[in-house]
Amino acid sequence: KTIAQLHNVTKIYTNGCCSLRSVNLRIHAGDFLFITGDSGAGKSTLLKLLYGAEQPSEGQVEMEGNLLRNLRGRALAHLRRRIGVVFQDYQLILSKTVEENVAVVLHAQGFARSEIRRRVGPALRMVGLAAKAQCFPEQLSGGEQQRVSIARAIVHTPPLLLADEPTGNLDTHNAWTVLQILKRLHTIGVTVVVTCHNEQLVQAFAQRIIRLEAGNLRELPLST
Ligand code: ADP
Ligand code: ADP
């Protein structure tokens, strides 16, 4: 089963910078997919196209059978809710506690108060941070902050989780912990797509690897 697909996608930014060149990619439900490549290769752009933060210059992005280009308003909002996103720099709200940061998306999506209470605890337990629920982001290490951002990304139980260089600011130990959490999410049925330029981490965790080189995509065999 296909969860998302890029059909001949080219992305040229308004400044003329071409970051993806006729990219075709099928993401299967149940994939644990790593996107590798040097800085500037187009990894981040590929994820942005999947969650609709950028539009392709040519080609089509398809999510759960819908062409993103054709979706507007409620339909687009509905589809976005089926995706969780994790960023390299965590993007936590510093004036809110860990628990409040995780609840923010649910509030925004109109979940009932009782449902929010029911969901936040398990999401924090999944990332091993139940004990830090009342802390503020600045009281946490970088690794812990990234785990909060993962809890926030999964609290609405999206089938697809996109993580853009989630280990980029972390030391090896914390990077490992974060990828183990992503792997656990994959085990319970979440489709996970991660960009990562650390080849060792990629080889240790990936179930499927694609590589971008100056906007050109190719699938890599898994070395065993
Ligand atoms: P657009 O996508 O329409 O170019 P943005 O607001 O994303 O608009 O970016 C504005 C300008 O900032 C770009 O034209 C580019 O020059 C620069 N820029 C933004 N992000 C990046 C990036 N990741 N790499 C290089 N240049 C960037
Ligand atoms: P990666 O995530 O692999 O580092 P990106 O997708 O961020 O690569 O960037 C791919 C190319 O597109 C780079 O050359 C980058 O400078 C350019 N780029 C990214 N975002 C923008 C933007 N908003 N405006 C202009 N150029 C951009």
Side-chain angles (χ1 to χ4, degrees), residues 11-17 40 44-45 48 53-54:
K11 176 63 182 175
I12 301 166
Y13 285 101
T14 46
N15 64 354
C17 184
S44 186
T45 299
K48 284 178 184 162
E54 291 284 356

Side-chain angles (χ1 to χ4, degrees), residues 150-196:
I150 295 171
R152 180 186 55 192
I154 59 161
V155 71
H156 59 303
T157 52
L160 177 62
L161 180 65
L162 306 176
D164 195 355
E165 212 64 57
T167 62
N169 291 341
L170 303 179
D171 61 28
T172 309
H173 172 77
N174 280 304
W176 199 264
T177 305
V178 158
L179 290 181
Q180 273 171 330
I181 290 166
L182 297 184
K183 188 177 181 143
R184 202 181 315 141
L185 288 164
H186 171 248
T187 308
I188 63 171
V190 182
T191 304
V192 180
V193 180
V194 191
T195 68
C196 183

Side-chain angles (χ1 to χ4, degrees), residues 96-111 116-117 119-120 124 148 151-152 155:
K96 290 187 187 290
T97 64
V98 162
E99 186 175 74
E100 289 165 349
N101 266 283
V102 174
V104 154
V105 231
L106 299 179
H107 280 295
Q109 293 180 6
F111 280 77
I116 294 175
R117 264 200 305 276
R119 282 171 175 260
V120 170
L124 284 175
V148 174
R152 180 186 55 192
V155 71

